[in-house]
Amino acid sequence: MNNEANVNEQEQATVENEQDLQQENAAPEAGANASDDHVEGAAEAEAAGNPELESLRAEAAEHQQRLLRVQADYDNFRRRTQKEKEELAKYASSKLISELLPVFDNFERALAAGVSEQNDPSSFVKGVEMIFRQFEGVLKAEGLTIMETVGQPFNPEYHQAIMTVEVDEYEEGIVVEELQKGYMLKDKVLRPAMVKVSG
């Protein structure tokens, strides 16, 4: 019986201790919340009574708005520039094609005239030669040049060797024959020349 009474007393003491601890823990939290509210209220009161702080806040808000406007302007500029680049890439060849249209027209006229009994074949050939010169002129104006290959030392940057041949008149490693012309566009190889090289 005494044992049961002791156990009950211990349980009662434990419950009371836990309640005391909960009350102690709750008290600082309540105090902290009250303290935070007090600090915020004091800050607001101080801001309301401090014109310099209000001025700084207004200036910060103005800078924020200005930053947002600059960001929007930059985004618009970037989109516009991207669109212009796409347009430029899409129609980059329009100038060259415009210059080639007269050549195309002349070829069409030559084919329509053809070679008949009334037309002299030599005049037809002369007409085609004139068109070729016109076409060549357009390409040269755009910076296209023909490579000089025969008699030049073989250079893999400019020449594509198809075969090597034994030739007495050239030293080894010299281009002896051109099978297909090579072209430069300004200072860049557009198409390497196809050549035979002395071995």
Side-chain angles (χ1 to χ4, degrees):
M1 199 67 175
N2 288 336
N3 287 339
E4 287 180 12
N6 287 337
V7 167
N8 287 337
E9 286 176 11
Q10 287 176 355
E11 286 178 359
Q12 182 68 29
T14 303
V15 168
E16 288 174 2
N17 286 339
E18 287 178 0
Q19 288 174 349
D20 290 344
L21 284 172
Q22 286 174 356
Q23 287 175 356
E24 286 174 11
N25 289 337
E29 286 178 10
N33 289 339
S35 176
D36 288 347
D37 292 343
H38 178 70
V39 169
E40 285 177 13
E44 287 174 6
E46 184 184 347
N50 189 342
E52 186 179 346
L53 186 58
E54 283 297 317
S55 171
L56 288 172
R57 283 187 176 166
E59 191 177 337
E62 183 184 340
H63 286 312
Q64 177 72 15
Q65 289 300 318
R66 200 176 293 174
L67 177 65
L68 291 173
R69 282 195 298 271
V70 168
Q71 182 67 40
D73 288 345
Y74 173 73
D75 288 341
N76 290 336
F77 169 76
R78 189 171 47 79
R79 278 194 293 271
R80 191 170 58 250
T81 305
Q82 182 65 28
K83 188 176 179 183
E84 287 172 1
K85 277 184 184 177
E86 288 170 2
E87 288 282 316
L88 186 63
K90 189 175 181 181
Y91 298 107
S93 58
S94 61
K95 178 180 177 286
L96 177 61
I97 290 173
S98 296
E99 291 173 357
L100 288 175
L101 284 177
V103 179
F104 184 75
D105 292 339
N106 287 335
F107 268 122
E108 198 170 30
R109 288 186 196 104
L111 289 171
V115 180
S116 63
E117 293 178 3
Q118 292 90 6
N119 295 334
D120 182 12
S122 63
S123 66
F124 178 77
V125 171
K126 284 178 184 175
V128 172
E129 283 178 352
M130 286 174 62
I131 297 170
F132 177 78
R133 297 295 166 221
Q134 184 185 15
F135 181 58
E136 187 178 42
V138 170
L139 295 178
K140 281 184 177 176
E142 288 296 314
L144 188 76
T145 53
I146 301 170
M147 292 180 189
E148 297 290 333
T149 57
V150 177
Q152 302 293 321
F154 173 75
N155 185 337
E157 290 182 17
Y158 300 100
H159 309 133
Q160 181 182 354
I162 298 303
M163 63 178 71
T164 57
V165 291
E166 295 293 332
V167 182
D168 294 334
E169 55 189 291
Y170 290 109
E171 298 175 9
E172 188 177 336
I174 302 294
V175 175
V176 297
E177 186 181 345
E178 182 179 71
L179 303 174
Q180 186 182 65
K181 289 183 178 179
Y183 293 95
M184 300 282 294
L185 183 59
K186 295 174 183 173
D187 57 350
K188 183 181 178 182
V189 176
L190 190 63
R191 184 179 80 184
M194 202 178 289
V195 297
K196 290 182 183 178
V197 183
S198 59

